[in-house]
Amino acid sequence: MSIEIEVLNGNESWPLAEPLFNEVWPPEIIRTLPWADIVFAHADLRVLVQTEAGEAVCHVGIYRREVTWNGRRMRAGGIGGVLTRESYRRHGYASVALNAAIQTLKHEGSTDSALLFCEPHHAPFYMGRGWKPFDGEIYAEQPQGRIRFEAIAPYVYELRRAPRQGTIDLCGLPW
């Protein structure tokens, strides 16, 4: 099978990604997850792995944000919405898409570090690709106001520097 990897505008590419999200995370599954009640930001860019027929089989969202780390402003590249259609798992597509997302952030040259959030059972996947746990507090916006974000664990990836501890304020919705 031939695949195609594209980095696309987040809002414009949502119609391509939405069927994949609905298949991997249908409402009955989301209700059972620790982040079920969290409102997430929309991706600025999307890395999509597609079949020759244009069917999305893997997705990685890219988010760009100015955040604060211990009160200092820094540019963070967020990674979120990493998912692969079940029948395409264990073929390396998520690794390829994640690498494309990191390369996109590196090529932009304005991002200090990358940040993602994941459930404990996914941590070995990310740690095996150079991500490090962030030991500290994360704050984010939600419709009810600013919250300490603890639903899923934070991991950082060094682009220019990677904060490993302290306090990060996402200055907006989580991703």
Side-chain angles (χ1 to χ4, degrees):
M1 178 188 92
S2 175
I3 61 162
E4 189 171 318
I5 301 164
E6 293 186 275
V7 179
L8 303 167
N9 175 285
N11 288 334
E12 291 174 16
S13 62
W14 176 243
L16 295 171
E18 187 176 20
L20 178 60
F21 273 78
N22 291 337
E23 181 180 321
V24 175
W25 289 330
E28 62 273 11
I29 295 295
I30 288 183
R31 280 193 291 274
T32 68
L33 299 173
W35 44 267
D37 295 326
I38 301 294
V39 175
F40 290 95
H42 297 280
D44 295 313
L45 298 172
R46 297 179 193 284
V47 177
L48 288 174
V49 178
Q50 298 172 285
T51 64
E52 289 174 347
E55 174 187 39
V57 297
C58 183
H59 171 276
V60 173
I62 301 173
Y63 306 77
R64 300 182 195 105
R65 179 89 52 83
E66 189 169 280
V67 303
T68 62
W69 170 45
N70 295 333
R72 295 186 305 251
R73 292 183 185 267
M74 68 179 280
R75 194 80 178 140
I79 300 295
V82 179
L83 56 130
T84 304
R85 182 166 278 138
E86 190 169 348
S87 60
Y88 288 85
R89 292 179 187 163
R90 305 225 178 272
H91 291 97
Y93 298 133
S95 293
V96 168
L98 185 61
N99 289 341
I102 292 296
Q103 287 305 313
T104 299
L105 292 170
K106 284 181 180 179
H107 289 301
E108 289 179 347
S110 63
T111 306
D112 296 310
S113 66
L115 177 67
L116 65 76
F117 302 94
C118 75
E119 296 175 55
H121 63 279
H122 292 303
F125 171 81
Y126 294 108
M127 292 174 66
R129 285 149 186 82
W131 292 81
K132 308 284 185 213
F134 177 78
D135 182 24
E137 297 179 349
I138 303 284
Y139 289 89
E141 295 298 322
Q142 286 293 282
Q144 70 271 24
R146 186 172 182 257
I147 64 162
R148 183 169 177 191
F149 185 65
E150 300 176 290
I152 37 185
Y155 289 80
V156 294
Y157 187 92
E158 185 173 337
L159 298 172
R160 284 193 256 183
R161 62 181 169 163
R164 298 289 304 278
Q165 55 191 354
T167 302
I168 293 177
D169 189 330
L170 299 178
C171 300
L173 295 172
W175 48 79

